[in-house]
Amino acid sequence: MGCDGGTIPKRHELVKGPRKIEKVDKNAELVAQWYYCTLSQEKLSRPIVACELGRLYNKDAVIEFLLDKSSDKVLVEAASHIKSIKNVIELNLTDNPAWTGDKGNTKGDKYDDIQSAQFICPIVGLEMNGRHRFCFLRNCGCVFSERALKEIKTETCHRCGIPFQDDDVIALNGTKADVEVLKKRMEERRLKSKTGKKSRKSKAVETIVKSEADDDSCSSSQVNTGKDATSMKSGEKRSKGAVSESVSSSLGKSSKNPSGPPKRPIASNEEKSEAYKSIFTSHSSAKRSKEESSNWITHTAYYF
């Protein structure tokens, strides 16, 4: 090669090896997960909510996402499992007294301390910056470090006293294995809630049908009792009529055919005096002429 200004390429320039995979900066990943909303990519600010998979969101962003019913809505994988506001839990976070936030020098010569976080564990005091595992309780939303839950084993919340179980503990920004376990639990809970709703609906329908059947039976029993009452009344009337007929017939028979000897009129009784006989209508003094007999004007037969 002459002095033409050219250069001889070296071996590493001619031989091209496999490209190096660019590694994601761990600090940047932690900051994105623990300081920014998973849905809107804005800074986390109260009220902060978490889903059943342990991801952090701003509550306003979740509400806007649920209210957006437009056709050009962008489906975000991080929020595809959120169907309603009931699928997220509002977190009860403990403020870090050493947190300064955006205060201080904003000219660009400020040192951002990544170790400092806005929230801490209320028991141990660890900062929620992603370097320590944090969990929250699904029943109440209180947030603790995993170390605190392991060191102080209890079945009630350290902060509010609400009881919880192991399945109610959800890891925040957990690993892939944690997310898979939480996803299975979420699906099981949703299936149980669906089956519970169906069973409640079926029970409600059964109670309605039973009540209608009871009403029908009551009405039929009332009709039957009314019929029985009418039949009883008619039977009583018939029995009363039969009794009256029998009584009248017996009276007629007794009047026609007296059992004892025929009674003699008092007027023909010679043992009684005339004064005593004059008391009765069979006496001759009680008999009246045609002029003295009653007519249609008189009130009674004995009116003169």
Side-chain angles (χ1 to χ4, degrees):
M1 302 295 288
C3 297
D4 56 356
T7 57
I8 300 172
K10 294 182 181 180
R11 185 178 181 280
H12 72 275
E13 295 177 352
L14 295 173
V15 179
K16 294 183 179 180
R19 292 183 180 181
K20 294 182 180 180
I21 299 172
E22 296 180 358
K23 294 183 179 180
V24 179
D25 188 6
K26 288 185 178 181
N27 292 330
E29 187 178 3
L30 291 176
V31 169
Q33 288 180 347
W34 294 90
Y35 292 87
Y36 289 87
C37 173
T38 308
L39 187 60
S40 63
Q41 302 302 322
E42 296 179 357
K43 280 189 176 182
L44 289 171
S45 60
R46 280 195 174 95
I48 299 172
V49 296
C51 65
E52 293 176 289
L53 301 181
R55 294 165 183 163
L56 298 172
Y57 309 86
N58 285 330
K59 191 173 183 179
D60 298 339
V62 175
I63 293 171
E64 289 177 3
F65 173 76
L66 294 173
L67 292 175
D68 188 6
K69 303 296 182 181
S70 59
S71 58
D72 57 346
K73 177 181 178 180
V74 179
L75 295 174
V76 184
E77 261 185 55
S80 60
H81 60 286
I82 300 175
K83 305 299 181 183
S84 68
I85 198 66
K86 294 180 180 180
N87 299 139
V88 294
I89 299 96
E90 188 171 347
L91 300 179
N92 297 324
L93 297 160
T94 305
D95 292 326
N96 184 7
W99 171 256
T100 57
D102 296 332
K103 297 177 182 179
N105 190 5
T106 58
K107 294 181 180 179
D109 55 350
K110 175 187 172 183
Y111 171 71
D112 292 331
D113 187 8
I114 303 173
Q115 301 290 336
S116 179
Q118 185 178 358
F119 308 107
I120 61 172
C121 174
I123 298 173
V124 184
L126 294 175
E127 294 185 352
M128 201 173 77
N129 53 16
R131 286 170 174 78
H132 307 283
R133 286 176 63 87
F134 270 73
C135 308
F136 76 93
L137 305 180
R138 193 174 60 88
N139 295 341
C140 57
C142 296
V143 181
F144 304 97
S145 63
E146 192 177 51
R147 184 188 299 178
L149 293 176
K150 286 181 178 180
E151 289 180 357
I152 307 173
K153 293 183 179 181
T154 179
E155 295 180 353
T156 57
C157 177
H158 302 292
R159 191 169 183 178
C160 61
I162 295 176
F164 68 92
Q165 298 177 356
D166 293 337
D167 294 342
D168 298 326
V169 180
I170 298 176
L172 289 171
N173 293 323
T175 60
K176 289 183 179 180
D178 295 335
V179 173
E180 288 179 359
V181 173
L182 293 173
K183 194 172 183 179
K184 288 180 181 178
R185 290 180 184 175
M186 179 185 69
E187 290 173 354
E188 289 176 359
R189 279 193 294 267
R190 291 186 180 181
L191 283 173
K192 285 182 182 179
S193 64
K194 285 182 181 179
T195 53
K197 287 180 181 178
K198 288 181 180 179
S199 63
R200 287 173 190 170
K201 287 181 180 178
S202 62
K203 286 181 181 178
V205 171
E206 287 178 0
T207 52
I208 291 168
V209 171
K210 285 182 180 178
S211 62
E212 290 178 354
D214 293 338
D215 294 338
D216 294 337
S217 63
C218 290
S219 60
S220 61
S221 63
Q222 288 177 358
V223 171
N224 292 329
T225 53
K227 290 181 179 179
D228 295 337
T230 52
S231 62
M232 288 289 288
K233 288 180 180 179
S234 61
E236 288 177 358
K237 288 180 179 178
R238 290 174 185 173
S239 62
K240 287 180 181 178
V243 170
S244 61
E245 288 176 359
S246 62
V247 170
S248 61
S249 62
S250 62
L251 289 173
K253 288 179 182 178
S254 62
S255 61
K256 290 179 182 178
N257 299 318
S259 59
K263 293 181 179 181
R264 296 173 61 190
I266 296 173
S268 61
N269 194 350
E270 298 176 354
E271 296 178 358
K272 303 295 181 182
S273 63
E274 291 294 330
Y276 178 77
K277 291 178 183 180
S278 63
I279 298 173
F280 299 96
T281 57
S282 60
H283 194 260
S284 61
S285 62
K287 293 180 181 181
R288 293 166 293 177
S289 63
K290 291 182 179 180
E291 294 177 357
E292 294 176 347
S293 62
S294 61
N295 53 32
W296 63 274
I297 298 173
T298 58
H299 295 281
T300 62
Y302 300 102
Y303 183 79
F304 298 101

